[in-house]
Amino acid sequence: DGGITQSPKYLFRKEGQNVTLSCEQNLNHDAMYWYRQDPGQGLRLIYYSQIVNDFQKGDIAEGYSVSREKKESFPLTVTSAQKNPTAFYLCASSIGGALTQQFFGPGTRLTVL
Amino acid sequence: AQTVTQSQPEMSVQEAETVTLSCTYDTSENNYYLFWYKQPPSRQMILVIRQEAYKQQNATENRFSVNFQKAAKSFSLKISDSQLGDTAMYFCAFMKHVEYGGSQGNLIFGKGTKLSVKP
């Protein structure tokens, strides 16, 4: 089945630790995105990548880092510099460019204790 | 910068009735796309309907339709014959058009409307 997978579904970490969230897609999409969702808020863009080995900061990139070494993978690292990392994280992908529909993964709930 | 506003934090509707969710947006772009996404309790984001700004005809998908008013920058979602499975958060989203190879195609989301369908 084609789709986007995110793992794990729930993640717990101690304050001060870096943590990496996984996002994989087998849709052959060029573009991939990371969003953060907080209660009472819409989704906010953290980072996006239009092509392998290239990525850009979104609206709330501080305290996060990404890599795009393979087309199908776009991991997100939440660093200790992120002041309030507890949130729901959603990964998405799209064909890119003028074709705009984004497909979303099931999300990862990160809780920092 | 573009902004998206959903003025109804919560709404409820009786099963089989019709409900309309409101969305307004602000942009200086002339060519863009608008979306309604549904997020059920599973939290999976599901695309409900999409509208291209250059199209005057309102988009429809089965029981879902939009009222797109470009001059007023309004994009409301109408759900007909509401079903219990329509209970979810609904997000309105904006994306400006980019040519292939352009550098930005990210979505700008509103804060959402929580819709409850009551039996």
Side-chain angles (χ1 to χ4, degrees):
Chain A
D1 289 335
I4 304 172
T5 58
Q6 292 185 244
S7 61
K9 188 171 183 178
Y10 299 97
L11 189 56
F12 297 88
R13 280 294 182 270
K14 291 184 179 179
E15 192 172 343
Q17 289 182 334
N18 291 356
V19 60
T20 297
L21 281 60
S22 168
C23 178
E24 304 277 333
Q25 54 96 2
N26 60 5
L27 299 168
N28 200 33
H29 286 171
D30 287 317
M32 297 187 74
Y33 311 82
W34 274 106
Y35 293 91
R36 170 180 171 140
Q37 186 177 23
D38 293 287
Q41 300 279 338
L43 280 65
R44 292 181 291 168
L45 183 68
I46 304 172
Y47 267 98
Y48 62 100
S49 169
Q50 297 284 352
I51 198 167
V52 174
N53 291 323
D54 187 46
F55 48 83
Q56 286 80 40
K57 293 181 179 180
D59 299 323
I60 54 166
E62 185 175 351
Y64 299 97
S65 66
V66 294
S67 63
R68 187 85 188 276
E69 297 176 1
K70 297 186 296 182
K71 186 176 185 178
E72 59 270 22
S73 178
F74 191 41
L76 173 74
T77 296
V78 184
T79 75
S80 57
Q82 168 50 234
K83 298 194 185 310
N84 187 17
T86 294
F88 187 63
Y89 292 88
L90 282 156
C91 178
S93 71
S94 70
I95 293 174
L99 297 174
T100 58
Q101 182 176 338
Q102 291 187 16
F103 296 85
F104 284 81
T108 292
R109 171 69 182 177
L110 172 64
T111 302
V112 175
L113 306 172
Chain B
Q2 291 83 19
T3 58
V4 177
T5 302
Q6 293 179 249
S7 59
Q8 305 151 314
E10 293 192 40
M11 294 190 72
S12 64
V13 63
Q14 291 296 129
E15 195 175 8
E17 297 290 308
T18 295
V19 64
T20 299
L21 309 183
S22 300
C23 173
T24 58
Y25 58 95
D26 188 24
T27 185
S28 59
E29 301 286 334
N30 188 53
N31 202 3
Y32 51 86
Y33 305 88
L34 295 163
F35 305 83
W36 278 99
Y37 278 88
K38 169 184 177 180
Q39 188 180 42
S42 68
R43 306 200 76 172
Q44 175 80 51
M45 293 288 283
I46 302 164
L47 179 66
V48 174
I49 200 164
R50 148 187 170 155
Q51 174 81 42
E52 290 87 348
Y54 63 85
K55 290 186 177 178
Q56 292 187 337
Q57 187 172 6
N58 289 324
T60 63
E61 286 287 341
N62 301 314
R63 298 182 295 107
F64 300 88
S65 62
V66 299
N67 183 4
F68 173 49
Q69 301 289 328
K70 190 172 184 179
K73 296 180 182 176
S74 171
F75 183 60
S76 61
L77 174 70
K78 185 171 82 171
I79 306 174
S80 304
D81 186 25
S82 297
Q83 301 176 359
L84 296 177
D86 295 335
T87 293
M89 284 289 292
Y90 286 82
F91 292 96
C92 179
F94 169 100
M95 180 188 290
K96 69 179 183 180
H97 175 77
V98 292
E99 298 301 325
Y100 189 81
S103 62
Q104 188 165 352
N106 53 295
L107 289 162
I108 308 297
F109 285 86
K111 293 187 176 183
T113 296
K114 184 178 181 180
L115 177 67
S116 299
V117 180
K118 301 184 184 304

